[in-house]
Amino acid sequence: MAMRKSKQETALTRERIVRAAASEFRQHGIVATGLADLMSAAGLTHGGFYRHFDSKDQLVAEASAVALAATTEKIAAAASREPGRKGLEAVVCGYLSTAHRDNPRDGCLLAALGNELARADVETRNTATAAFLKMVDIVSGKIDEAKPEEAKKRAMVAVSTMIGALTMSRIVTDAALSKSLLRNAEECLTSSGGASW
Amino acid sequence: MAMRKSKQETALTRERIVRAAASEFRQHGIVATGLADLMSAAGLTHGGFYRHFDSKDQLVAEASAVALAATTEKIAAAASREPGRKGLEAVVCGYLSTAHRDNPRDGCLLAALGNELARADVETRNTATAAFLKMVDIVSGKIDEAKPEEAKKRAMVAVSTMIGALTMSRIVTDAALSKSLLRNAEECLTSSGGASW
DNA sequence: TGTACATCAGTGAACGCGCGTTCACTGATGTAC
DNA sequence: TGTACATCAGTGAACGCGCGTTCACTGATGTAC
């Protein structure tokens, strides 16, 4: 049963653990996810964990980085599909979809872990900060009717709105309200010249 | 040492536990807060917990209700201080203040526990839903330039923005960025006739 | 190319610890007469 | 009003359990000659 694996297999195993962690943390939260759960989700026993990582915190940092990279890539892809405001709409619609709401395990880490990230160690929070700024930059690049500085401000608020609305849509027990939350935020963020509030 | 307390004292003790829980949960998260920590924060030993509550989940529900009631009251108070848009500004400035950011233990539960609330039991989530709607109603009442239905939509988005921006301001490791997050959201939510995004 | 040996990925049991929960006990409170 | 007794808030020890972490062991991989 127990046996050494080739270097290639070892690297794949490590990736598998990180991906499983990225999913499990987003689904159940960091504190609530045990290493044993996580390793068995990756198809391994928990004893082997420390061949790959120094601690749970290190895995949290790596898994967070992987999860955030996936999200920024998705957002960048949606943004580049169409130019200007149309691209912005694609980003917002994707982020504020019921599919995203119902699948935190492969969705945005910032919305899935919010408060736990605020309590995570510095490395993880640095990664989260960088990812947030990247999202802001992508969105900002799609607001072409404003000066860059102003566009960045608006983008920062827009991303905050997306995170807040998605988070609330997952908390709320009323299905209609949950959907309204997503749709209202979407409308508000994509209405071009309309009134603000 | 161990002795029976009067009914009056018992009621006060119970209140003390709920208030301590409301603080500790918001500061450290629900899962990360142990009953022993919590009881000693209330000046008691952990053994006595079950004289007052059936389970940790029951305390979570009660503490959440108390915390959320305090926040909706604060918001209502700020809103009623001045009429119309001025009142809205007071609400937003208070919510998006650095004082609020730096003191989750007596701040908004929705921002402090975000993702953990999404995983809490139904009773707790119902309470959170009701509190969110109350906040939306208060804000909505201050948007007097729009029709009630439209005002409610905007209020829902505004509250989502507030929660998202406060959450992000706590995650981010860059102090200047953290402050920008709060200020940009504040500006955006209080600028009257300006462009949207 | 083939043989001998060191390496180390993964297993499964164990470590101490703190969790939520239970319980025997204490002794002042509250009640019955 | 005073006495006798039941109640029960709070203590502190203990319950089983799962946590993060460590470790002896296995045996195929990788390396040295």
Side-chain angles (χ1 to χ4, degrees):
Chain A
M1 286 273 156
M3 42 181 148
R4 188 176 182 186
K5 292 297 166 63
S6 75
K7 283 191 178 179
Q8 194 183 343
E9 275 181 290
T10 301
L12 287 175
T13 299
R14 195 192 150 97
E15 262 187 59
R16 203 146 32 90
I17 296 170
V18 173
R19 273 203 306 271
S23 291
E24 296 291 307
F25 288 152
R26 280 179 284 183
Q27 179 136 63
H28 302 112
I30 296 170
V31 181
T33 301
L35 292 186
D37 302 339
L38 207 148
M39 289 296 278
S40 85
L44 298 160
T45 56
H46 65 285
F49 179 81
Y50 292 89
R51 292 280 163 203
H52 295 281
F53 307 95
D54 290 339
S55 65
K56 186 184 181 180
D57 275 347
Q58 194 200 324
L59 176 62
V60 168
E62 283 198 40
S64 296
V66 165
L68 288 165
T71 298
T72 53
E73 272 168 39
K74 264 182 223 169
I75 291 178
S80 66
R81 214 169 293 139
E82 297 193 70
R85 203 154 264 285
K86 282 271 179 188
L88 176 61
E89 277 173 36
V91 170
V92 172
C93 291
Y95 195 97
L96 294 175
S97 65
T98 52
H100 190 182
R101 178 195 65 193
D102 298 336
N103 295 286
R105 65 181 305 129
D106 44 50
C108 179
L109 188 88
L110 299 176
L113 295 185
N115 66 91
E116 287 196 272
L117 282 181
R119 297 177 202 107
D121 63 20
V122 174
E123 204 192 334
T124 304
R125 290 174 63 210
N126 281 337
T127 307
T129 304
F132 175 72
L133 284 176
K134 186 156 191 184
M135 294 179 198
V136 170
D137 267 0
I138 297 167
V139 170
S140 155
K142 292 288 154 179
I143 304 178
D144 40 23
E145 79 278 9
K147 276 182 292 189
E149 204 186 325
E150 175 64 19
K152 187 172 179 185
K153 282 190 184 184
R154 290 195 207 167
M156 200 177 278
V157 181
V159 175
S160 298
T161 302
M162 283 159 56
I163 292 167
L166 184 60
T167 299
M168 282 311 307
S169 80
R170 285 170 175 161
I171 292 175
V172 138
T173 46
D174 177 333
L177 175 60
S178 175
K179 195 137 196 200
S180 296
L181 261 159
L182 298 176
R183 194 157 33 206
N184 290 344
E186 187 188 310
E187 268 180 36
C188 185
L189 295 180
T190 57
S191 74
S192 31
S196 55
W197 304 103
Chain B
M1 285 273 157
M3 42 180 148
R4 188 178 182 187
K5 292 298 166 62
S6 74
K7 284 190 175 177
Q8 194 183 344
E9 276 181 288
T10 301
L12 288 174
T13 299
R14 196 193 149 95
E15 263 187 59
R16 203 145 35 89
I17 297 171
V18 173
R19 274 203 305 272
S23 291
E24 296 292 306
F25 288 151
R26 278 178 285 183
Q27 179 136 63
H28 302 113
I30 296 171
V31 181
T33 301
L35 292 186
D37 303 338
L38 207 148
M39 288 297 276
S40 84
L44 298 160
T45 55
H46 65 285
F49 178 82
Y50 292 89
R51 292 281 164 201
H52 296 282
F53 307 96
D54 290 339
S55 65
K56 186 183 181 181
D57 275 346
Q58 193 200 322
L59 177 62
V60 169
E62 282 197 40
S64 296
V66 165
L68 289 165
T71 299
T72 52
E73 272 168 39
K74 263 183 222 167
I75 291 179
S80 65
R81 214 172 291 139
E82 296 195 72
R85 204 154 261 288
K86 282 270 178 186
L88 176 60
E89 277 173 35
V91 170
V92 173
C93 291
Y95 196 97
L96 295 175
S97 66
T98 52
H100 190 183
R101 178 196 64 193
D102 299 335
N103 296 285
R105 63 181 306 126
D106 45 51
C108 180
L109 189 87
L110 299 176
L113 295 185
N115 67 90
E116 287 196 272
L117 282 181
R119 297 176 202 107
D121 61 21
V122 174
E123 204 193 334
T124 304
R125 290 173 64 209
N126 281 335
T127 306
T129 303
F132 175 72
L133 284 176
K134 187 158 189 181
M135 293 180 198
V136 170
D137 266 0
I138 296 167
V139 170
S140 153
K142 292 288 155 179
I143 304 177
D144 40 22
E145 79 278 9
K147 276 182 292 188
E149 203 186 325
E150 176 62 20
K152 188 173 179 183
K153 281 190 184 184
R154 291 195 207 166
M156 200 176 280
V157 181
V159 175
S160 298
T161 301
M162 284 158 56
I163 292 167
L166 183 60
T167 299
M168 283 311 307
S169 80
R170 285 171 175 160
I171 292 174
V172 139
T173 47
D174 177 334
L177 175 59
S178 175
K179 195 138 195 199
S180 297
L181 260 159
L182 297 176
R183 195 158 33 209
N184 290 344
E186 187 188 310
E187 266 180 39
C188 184
L189 295 180
T190 57
S191 74
S192 31
S196 56
W197 305 103

